[in-house]
Amino acid sequence: ERLLAFGADVHAVDPHVDPARVSSHVPLCDLTAAELEAADAVVVLTDHRCFDWDLVSRHARFVFDTRHRLDGPHVEHI
């Protein structure tokens, strides 16, 4: 909600979430190279095994990883 309030264009990827529980302002999308490349930043909030972490690592410009799934020069952790 805060990112939206700042004017961010937010997309979400989570095959386990009920779409009815996601804001209508946040489209659910598939994890694709095109989606990752279009994003200024990727925020990792879950560490589902079904995600292709190599795809994220190869195509995301910047990753803010709260689950410590990825490493590299374009990844930051908390």
Side-chain angles (χ1 to χ4, degrees), residues 33-48:
E35 192 71 36
L36 291 163
E37 290 168 359
D40 292 323
V42 173
V43 180
V44 176
L45 300 172
T46 63
D47 60 353
H48 298 317

Side-chain angles (χ1 to χ4, degrees), residues 51-64:
F51 288 147
D52 183 346
W53 297 109
D54 289 331
L55 181 76
V56 176
S57 184
R58 285 192 319 271
H59 294 281
R61 284 184 253 180
F62 173 78
V63 179
F64 187 67

